[in-house]
Amino acid sequence: MSEKQPVKVAVTGAAGQIAYSLLFRIANGDMLGNEQPVHLNMLEIPQALGALEGVCMELEDCAFPLLAGMDTFDDPARAFEGASYVLLVGARPRTKGMERKDLLEANGRIFTEQGRALNDNAPDDVRVLVVGNPANTNCLVAMENAPDIPRERFTAMTRLDHNRALAQLARKTGVPVSRITRMTIWGNHSTTQYPDVFHALVDGRPAFDAIGRDRNWLENEFIPTVQKRGAAVIEARGASSAASAANAAIDHVRDWALGTANGDWVSMAVPSDGSYGVDEGLVSSFPCRCAGGNWEIVQGLEIDEFSRSRIEASVAELREERDAVRSLGLVPA
Ligand SMILES: NC(=O)C1=CN([C@@H]2O[C@H](COP(=O)(O)OP(=O)(O)OC[C@H]3O[C@@H](n4cnc5c(N)ncnc54)[C@H](O)[C@@H]3O)[C@@H](O)[C@H]2O)C=CC1
Ligand SMILES: O=C([O-])CC(=O)C(=O)O
């Protein structure tokens, strides 16, 4: 066992399918490093606490050296006490034929309550990742209901889209994902998202050259494949992505906590400061670099007409979602 003090990590939706992969990865040290003990605070609705007991038994049976302790809760206020990292996963997933924003009302209410609970109970060093859909706007709801927590502590997950884009580009170019850098997802975690290869590098050279400047592939295969990958998995599996979503959550928090390497960047949905013309306060995906536990939007990228219109379309959807949660009374007007 390491000498370090355990860090508390709260995970909501702890008996759900994403958590069934996520909790084990966290306990294994994949998220905060293999010298950092963790204590898991797991939140569920009362009806799922029985199933959660089973998950706890399995966590125990793994005998993870870094798992210093675990507790289960059905009260967010108690679950968030002392938690340095809070992963808000618990929410209804969409099923076949739905768009993620169809979940806005049902899931948005969860994030009002959890935002308030974070505001009143989370420690000063809390960092929040929202995974539950629609992730960007749920994050906005939580953030707006937690006025005492600095806004930059709220992020939402577009890392799965980022990883999907890396995988598609690797498949097209025949170059391993490890040699592809500077991928960017802009906007919403939805079908309007814009996976942007124009700044990406494949083996150090521009990705657009590496794909043979094949605009047809880019516009008619790559972009739609990444945008619709979530639906494709639901169609094939009968349930939404779980292990890959958990993996992306691990990647997101690991890079935020421990830093991005070698000048590379990652995609994170973060509250906009107006960069790249994205309305201030919307939680939108940007290229981000992380160091010292903080993220920063990569500045100065050239955005051509094509990219600009794609980003604008996704931001327009985020605006609509923000207006919808405002009119539902989930965030202050
Ligand atoms: N941002 C992203 O890239 C992705 C997001 N997702 C989203 O993540 C969410 C969770 O997905 P799954 O784990 O597959 O769903 P799931 O239905 O298997 O699990 C969700 C769990 O959340 C619990 N839950 C519901 N309300 C809660 C509350 N108020 N507090 C605590 N727990 C609560 C449920 O009891 C359930 O056990 C869904 O909204 C899904 O759409 C899924 C994949 C990727
Ligand atoms: O598509 C869904 O509903 C689940 C999800 O967010 C994803 O897989 O990207």
Side-chain angles (χ1 to χ4, degrees):
M1 172 70 80
S2 145
E3 310 273 296
K4 290 189 181 175
Q5 285 301 308
V7 166
K8 257 190 193 167
V9 179
V11 176
T12 73
Q17 40 149 17
I18 293 176
Y20 194 60
S21 173
L22 180 61
L23 292 165
F24 295 82
R25 299 277 310 270
I26 297 171
N28 193 45
D30 296 357
M31 187 171 85
L32 296 177
N34 58 13
E35 292 192 351
Q36 178 58 65
V38 291
H39 181 111
L40 290 171
N41 274 6
M42 294 170 276
L43 180 73
E44 257 299 347
I45 53 174
Q47 308 87 288
L49 287 176
L52 185 54
E53 264 325 298
V55 177
C56 291
M57 288 182 213
E58 287 204 71
L59 280 164
E60 192 177 12
D61 295 347
C62 291
F64 288 117
L66 290 169
L67 184 57
M70 52 183 151
D71 290 296
T72 63
F73 302 92
D74 60 8
D75 174 5
R78 293 195 50 227
F80 299 156
E81 260 172 36
S84 300
Y85 295 92
V86 175
L87 282 66
L88 300 179
V89 180
R92 218 184 111 188
R94 65 172 168 158
T95 41
K96 235 184 251 187
M98 289 173 86
E99 285 299 327
R100 296 181 186 98
K101 65 184 165 199
D102 297 336
L103 298 165
L104 211 51
E105 183 165 5
N107 287 346
R109 296 197 186 283
I110 298 175
F111 293 85
T112 310
E113 185 200 10
Q114 294 184 353
R116 290 186 190 137
L118 283 166
N119 197 60
D120 296 343
N121 300 281
D124 286 349
D125 68 343
V126 71
R127 285 176 170 73
V128 182
L129 167 63
V130 176
V131 174
N133 277 319
N136 300 53
T137 301
N138 286 337
C139 181
L140 179 90
V141 170
M143 179 177 84
E144 295 288 352
N145 282 283
D148 300 336
I149 298 178
R151 292 185 150 224
E152 67 271 15
R153 301 301 184 77
F154 285 89
T155 64
M157 192 165 96
T158 50
R159 185 61 175 266
L160 179 52
D161 310 293
H162 179 103
N163 288 345
R164 287 167 173 162
L166 287 175
Q168 292 303 317
L169 194 51
R171 182 203 275 237
K172 168 79 173 169
T173 58
V175 172
V177 280
S178 58
R179 302 217 300 262
I180 303 179
T181 55
R182 303 194 173 192
M183 178 60 73
T184 307
I185 304 293
W186 300 91
N188 200 4
H189 173 61
S190 75
T191 44
T192 66
Q193 68 177 271
Y194 173 48
D196 176 1
V197 300
F198 288 108
H199 307 284
L201 300 175
V202 173
D203 250 345
R205 72 183 181 121
F208 193 49
D209 293 343
I211 62 166
R213 306 182 79 81
D214 184 349
R215 267 204 175 263
N216 182 43
W217 178 79
L218 184 73
E219 291 186 37
N220 300 316
E221 286 192 46
F222 172 76
I223 295 176
T225 298
V226 176
Q227 289 173 326
K228 295 183 198 153
R229 187 68 161 187
V233 171
I234 293 172
E235 181 70 34
R237 220 173 76 84
S240 65
S241 305
S244 57
N247 177 68
I250 294 282
D251 285 351
H252 176 116
V253 176
R254 186 198 57 229
D255 288 344
W256 189 4
L258 306 179
T260 44
N262 305 327
D264 197 9
W265 66 64
V266 293
S267 303
M268 298 169 74
V270 298
S272 174
D273 59 355
S275 292
Y276 298 100
V278 179
D279 313 25
E280 196 178 338
L282 288 178
V283 177
S284 187
S285 187
F286 288 99
C288 291
R289 288 197 177 99
C290 305
N294 299 311
W295 53 262
E296 192 178 82
I297 296 171
V298 174
Q299 297 295 335
L301 300 180
E302 238 175 77
I303 308 293
D304 69 9
E305 198 74 2
F306 174 79
S307 296
R308 168 65 48 211
S309 69
R310 297 291 179 130
I311 295 170
E312 183 42 48
S314 199
V315 170
E317 182 184 46
L318 284 171
R319 251 182 241 129
E320 273 170 32
E321 291 185 13
R322 177 199 55 203
D323 294 346
V325 291
R326 275 187 184 157
S327 64
L328 289 166
L330 301 180
V331 296

